[in-house]
Amino acid sequence: MAATRAYLDYNASAPLIAEARAAMVAALDAANPSSVHTEGRASRRLVEDARRDVARLVNAKPEHVVFTSGATEAASTLLGPDWQMGRGSIRMSHLYVSATDHPCILNGGRFAPAQVTKIGVDRNGIADLDALSAALAAHDKTAGLPLVAIHAANNETGVVQPVGRIGEIVKAAGGVLVVDAVQAAGRIPLDMSVPYADYLILSSHKIGGPKGVGAIVAASDLMMPRPLVNGGGQEKGHRAGTENVAGIAGFGAAARAALAGLDDVDAVSRRRDGIEAIVTELAPDAEIFGNGALRLANTTFFAIPGVKAETAQIAFDLAGVALSAGSACSSGKVGPSHVLKAMGHGESLGALRVSIGRATGAEDIEAFRAALAGIVARRAGKEEAA
């Protein structure tokens, strides 16, 4: 095994950045932020400072940020039929999702399976907007409002959805739009002042913060889902439970760094392009998925004929390179990619995902090249033996 490892799996979890680690250590002894004494008020300041930092990342109002234990909890909270508007209630009667969404969206949250419709995608993974428009046009508004949930950027392919256009379609149909911005945050600009999404879902550990912290960001406080977690009324009653002060402080620090890091997107894109050049040089028959659409600058998802993704992932790991065979969000589960299947690529041998960050260096890319060269050479040997 290599003495120094190359970490190329940022979409699974970005390494904890130094600023987030320092903020967490400083907050480990924080008091309960709901306490009114001096120590409690100091803890509350840590939470509210982080709330402002997370809001700035997506140009939202701090009071519209609700901290959760992660993106899955945020999705489970938002994807429900029962909502509050002031002292009244409002109902979402049906959920519309993309066939390539993350499982926490695809599973429908608190909706019954019969209340969830999947919208197909094209071969690049872009949602079928005509199909979405038709589905919303057929929605029975007497039963309640339509709720649409879709990712801003795909966690496997990096393909970026046209959320502005999707927002226009949803608004024209009188619906509500939830955007899963977990992979997009810190990698493309997000602006809640532009009226496209009603709610964003964010995750701390995808931007270099700690695991176990996420957020719901609302465009306004006019309407919110009924809480998933009830209790002491924290987060203005939207998410009960004593706040994870250290985790939230780390999230805030990561959000500050991610906002500043948007200036480095072009450099990250050049590194990604270099990785793809290596793939096509060593394996000219490789297929890079979603490269006909706008993608995140840090992500490439590719398959090499005759190379099983899970076997290649193990070979990369033994060579000191960490990457994924698809998504890493299913507790190590190995199986065909639902994303590739929805894109019309069938039950292939699978694909490998390389996802990088600002800290990815030339030595990491060279380690990838060396490992891939060995894998391709073994494929050639098997073909000759056959």
Side-chain angles (χ1 to χ4, degrees):
M1 186 174 288
T4 302
R5 292 182 59 81
Y7 186 79
L8 307 177
D9 203 15
Y10 278 66
N11 286 11
S13 191
L16 186 69
I17 63 171
E19 298 94 325
R21 185 187 299 275
M24 293 177 70
V25 170
L28 283 174
D29 290 329
N32 190 319
S34 295
S35 298
V36 297
H37 47 58
T38 298
E39 291 81 358
R41 293 198 304 275
S43 183
R44 173 55 57 189
R45 281 195 295 274
L46 292 175
V47 171
E48 297 310 318
D49 287 347
R51 199 185 308 276
R52 283 190 288 274
D53 289 328
V54 171
R56 288 191 189 105
L57 178 60
V58 296
N59 197 24
K61 294 182 178 179
E63 59 267 29
H64 295 164
V65 175
V66 177
F67 288 118
T68 67
S69 66
T72 295
E73 184 195 324
S76 296
T77 300
L78 287 166
L79 305 187
D82 298 317
W83 288 57
Q84 300 167 317
M85 180 179 285
R87 295 187 177 182
S89 61
I90 192 165
R91 185 167 180 79
M92 307 290 170
S93 57
H94 203 87
L95 174 65
Y96 302 86
V97 301
S98 159
T100 54
D101 273 322
H102 187 278
C104 74
I105 302 292
L106 275 178
N107 288 342
R110 291 183 274 181
F111 283 93
Q115 295 174 300
V116 181
T117 295
K118 294 180 184 178
I119 303 299
V121 299
D122 66 18
R123 199 163 176 81
N124 279 308
I126 299 296
D128 185 338
L129 302 190
D130 289 338
L132 175 62
S133 296
L136 293 177
H139 178 83
D140 180 7
K141 293 184 177 63
T142 63
L145 298 179
L147 179 64
V148 177
I150 192 167
H151 55 280
N154 189 265
N155 61 311
E156 294 189 16
T157 64
V159 167
V160 176
Q161 297 291 342
V163 290
R165 179 65 185 125
I166 290 170
E168 293 173 357
I169 292 170
V170 174
K171 295 298 177 293
V176 174
L177 177 61
V178 172
V179 173
D180 169 8
V182 165
Q183 297 294 345
R187 294 170 182 157
I188 58 175
L190 297 169
D191 189 349
M192 284 296 278
S193 71
V194 178
Y196 63 93
D198 296 294
Y199 305 88
L200 294 182
I201 296 171
L202 302 177
S203 174
S204 166
H205 75 102
K206 304 296 189 183
I207 61 170
K211 300 167 188 64
V213 189
I216 294 169
V217 183
S220 77
D221 56 5
L222 177 65
M223 181 172 65
M224 288 293 287
R226 292 201 179 277
L228 180 68
V229 181
N230 294 284
Q234 290 86 353
E235 296 298 290
K236 295 184 179 179
H238 299 306
R239 201 280 182 179
T242 300
E243 291 92 339
N244 174 7
V245 180
I248 289 171
F251 190 6
R256 287 197 303 274
L259 182 60
L262 285 171
D263 294 336
D264 298 328
V265 169
D266 288 344
V268 173
S269 179
R270 286 193 295 272
R271 294 188 198 109
R272 191 274 313 274
D273 292 346
I275 289 169
E276 292 186 345
I278 291 169
V279 171
T280 54
E281 173 195 338
L282 297 177
D285 55 346
E287 181 171 8
I288 297 173
F289 300 105
N291 62 348
L294 177 65
R295 290 179 295 157
L296 294 176
N298 81 314
T299 306
T300 185
F301 195 44
F302 66 93
I304 300 174
V307 175
K308 190 174 182 180
E310 289 76 20
T311 303
Q313 182 185 20
I314 294 170
F316 272 110
D317 191 36
L318 292 174
V321 179
L323 48 73
S324 283
S327 170
C329 298
S330 300
S331 299
K333 179 181 176 183
V334 174
S337 165
H338 76 278
V339 173
L340 289 183
K341 187 175 180 181
M343 290 166 63
H345 295 286
E347 303 288 343
S348 69
L349 290 176
L352 294 165
R353 182 187 67 189
V354 175
S355 50
I356 62 176
R358 298 192 302 277
T360 303
E363 67 280 7
D364 300 312
I365 297 173
E366 282 307 307
F368 171 81
R369 172 191 282 277
L372 182 61
I375 292 168
V376 172
R378 286 191 289 275
R379 178 187 67 156
K382 288 179 181 179
E383 290 173 348
E384 290 176 5

